[in-house]
Amino acid sequence: MTEPTYPDAPPPQYPGAPPQHPTVPPQSPQGAPPYPGATPPPYPGTTPPEYPATAPQYPTATPPQYPTSPPPQYPTTAVSPQYPASAPPQYPAASPQYPAPTPPPQQPPRVPAQGFAPPPAPPQPPVLDRTVDIDPHTGRIHLAARQRGADATAIGQLVFQLPHFLCSLLVIGIISMFLAAPFDYLLIGAWIASGALVFHRPTEKLLARYLFRMRPALHSELTRLEPIWHQVTAKAGVSPETYDLWIEDHKAVNATAAAGHIVGVTRYALETLPDAQLAAVLAHELGHHRGGHAWATLLGYWYSMPARIAWAAFRIAAVIAFQIASVFSLLGALVVGLVSVVVVVAVALSFPPLLLVLVTPYLLAAVGRRSELRADIQAAELGFADAMIEVFHGFLRDEEQALAIAARENGGRAVRPGLGQRLLSSHPDTHTRIRRLEDWRAAAAAAAR
């Protein structure tokens, strides 16, 4: 493609006359394509626009003059502000005196007869007694080789329950006479083998709930009871899981050892006794289990149940017959009473062990008092002699209060248990128990010298 030819006109001269523009449009270069259409559009105008003949004049004024005065003088040295010359306020040299706080009002002493105490705050587990025989490295309890047994009082319980066992065997034998063979012998064998239920834990729980009127301990009660129980069993070298802890809702300080694995404590004792005294009470019940007193007593009671039920049924029938006969005539009542006596004498003569039943309650009560003293000594051997004495002094205060109430109700005359009541009591009097513990403590102190 050929480069187009431009006009040879000289460049415009400034600021002279305006440039002269060509009046004829430029010619297209040879060979250039024609403009579309027949005639090209005309060049705009024939005269170029007029430009000013002279360049615009800008102002030639001089720039404004700024003040030439020197800058203000600032202080060259820092001067701290002047504060008032008055002295600072004086503070009191001595601390202010506040009134002494008033002591809280004293709560009245707790009276056992007024009912249960209000629920205490959640107890904190007591600190483990460092005299307990526990391995400091493993935390294991050194179990004793002899966990439980049967001492002389437990053997005495079983021997003196033998007449009741024979009477019950007689009752079961009479009932079996109405059964066909071999069910008669099966009934006798099943009754004899039922004594093993005393050591069956599910059966023990039923006995604890329905016979002894106990309930399982709540978690809040176990929070205080279990750590103390673990200390007691650790001192005795006994596994704490061997026994089950139960609660008896009773308004007195008491505890119970029953069957083969039941240890019960009253809710009142749990809420009112200090830790040491509560541990002493639990140690006493553990002594009953270790000596075999609990299972021997319950086993004898279990085998005497048929005889007791038969005797109770006979007495009810005799009373009803006597009352019916007395409605018709006095002679008929005398005949019924005489027939009842004859039946009792005839059965006793035909089965002589029945005569021992008249004496065994006193013998069993004497053995029971002996077993209580043995359990006290076992608790003392675990280190709870002083705490047991404190518990018994609390018993004395409660007994004196009960005697004072009975005397007021009896017109001021003292009410004391009779001889028969004392002979049938399964627990020795409190003074005897305190004296026995004091003698043991004095003997132990003399042996340690």
Side-chain angles (χ1 to χ4, degrees):
M1 182 176 181
T2 308
E3 183 179 357
T5 304
Y6 295 96
D8 298 327
Q13 299 294 322
Y14 296 95
Q20 298 296 323
H21 295 279
T23 57
V24 181
Q27 298 296 322
S28 310
Q30 296 297 327
Y35 194 89
T39 306
Y43 194 85
T46 56
T47 306
E50 298 292 337
Y51 291 96
T54 59
Q57 299 295 322
Y58 294 96
T60 58
T62 59
Q65 298 295 322
Y66 295 96
T68 57
S69 59
Q73 299 295 324
Y74 296 96
T76 57
T77 59
V79 180
S80 60
Q82 298 297 322
Y83 294 97
S86 59
Q90 299 295 325
Y91 295 97
S95 59
Q97 300 295 325
Y98 297 97
T102 57
Q106 297 294 329
Q107 297 293 333
R110 190 187 304 275
V111 180
Q114 291 181 355
F116 290 124
Q124 298 296 329
V127 180
L128 183 63
D129 188 355
R130 294 305 176 188
T131 61
V132 175
D133 188 16
I134 297 179
D135 191 334
H137 301 290
T138 63
R140 299 175 180 174
I141 300 175
H142 299 286
L143 299 180
R146 180 177 176 272
Q147 293 287 303
R148 67 168 77 197
D151 57 17
T153 57
I155 301 300
Q157 286 275 354
L158 296 177
V159 170
F160 294 137
Q161 289 282 7
L162 187 59
H164 296 274
F165 172 80
L166 295 177
C167 292
S168 296
L169 182 61
L170 176 63
V171 173
I172 297 297
I174 294 174
I175 296 175
S176 65
M177 294 173 60
F178 297 94
L179 300 177
F183 296 103
D184 51 353
Y185 294 105
L186 289 177
L187 176 63
I188 297 175
W191 174 72
I192 294 175
S194 66
L197 295 176
V198 174
F199 304 97
H200 185 234
R201 281 207 164 183
T203 305
E204 289 181 358
K205 293 181 180 180
L206 294 176
L207 294 175
R209 187 183 294 273
Y210 298 106
L211 181 62
F212 301 109
R213 303 295 181 182
M214 298 181 185
R215 61 173 175 82
L218 304 177
H219 290 290
S220 58
E221 295 167 337
L222 290 176
T223 301
R224 180 170 188 249
L225 191 58
E226 280 188 338
I228 300 176
W229 173 246
H230 287 183
Q231 293 187 47
V232 173
T233 55
K235 284 177 176 289
V238 176
S239 175
E241 288 77 16
T242 304
Y243 303 97
D244 300 324
L245 299 175
W246 292 73
I247 300 296
E248 182 181 2
D249 293 319
H250 190 63
K251 302 176 183 178
V253 175
N254 196 12
T256 305
H261 308 90
I262 297 174
V263 175
V265 63
T266 60
R267 176 186 168 192
Y268 187 82
L270 182 64
E271 293 178 351
T272 58
L273 290 182
D275 291 347
Q277 296 183 20
L278 182 59
V281 171
L282 295 176
H284 172 87
E285 303 307 326
L286 181 61
H288 281 309
H289 276 295
R290 296 181 68 194
H293 311 154
W295 66 263
T297 302
L298 185 58
L299 187 63
Y301 181 80
W302 180 269
Y303 281 126
S304 67
M305 284 298 295
R308 293 175 185 272
I309 294 174
W311 174 245
F314 177 79
R315 290 177 59 187
I316 293 174
V319 170
I320 293 175
F322 182 80
Q323 291 178 350
I324 294 175
S326 63
V327 173
F328 297 98
S329 65
L330 180 60
L331 181 61
L334 292 177
V335 170
V336 170
L338 182 61
V339 169
S340 301
V341 173
V342 170
V343 170
V344 172
V345 172
V347 173
L349 293 177
S350 62
F351 196 70
L354 286 176
L355 297 176
L356 296 176
V357 177
L358 303 176
V359 184
T360 51
Y362 297 95
L363 298 177
L364 289 173
V367 174
R369 291 192 294 270
R370 185 69 179 176
S371 65
E372 293 295 330
L373 295 176
R374 281 181 174 266
D376 292 342
I377 297 302
Q378 289 200 25
E381 291 174 349
L382 297 181
F384 299 106
D386 296 336
M388 283 297 298
I389 293 175
E390 293 175 0
V391 172
F392 290 146
H393 279 295
F395 287 174
L396 286 179
R397 290 190 294 269
D398 293 342
E399 292 172 2
E400 292 173 358
Q401 183 178 4
L403 290 175
I405 295 174
R408 287 197 302 267
E409 295 176 352
N410 199 33
R413 290 179 298 176
V415 179
R416 299 286 180 180
L419 177 61
Q421 187 178 358
R422 293 198 301 271
L423 290 177
L424 290 174
S425 176
S426 61
H427 287 66
D429 64 277
T430 309
H431 289 94
T432 301
R433 302 178 77 172
I434 294 176
R435 179 59 183 271
R436 184 62 61 89
L437 286 173
E438 289 177 344
D439 292 343
W440 179 90
R441 186 173 58 181
R449 294 175 184 172

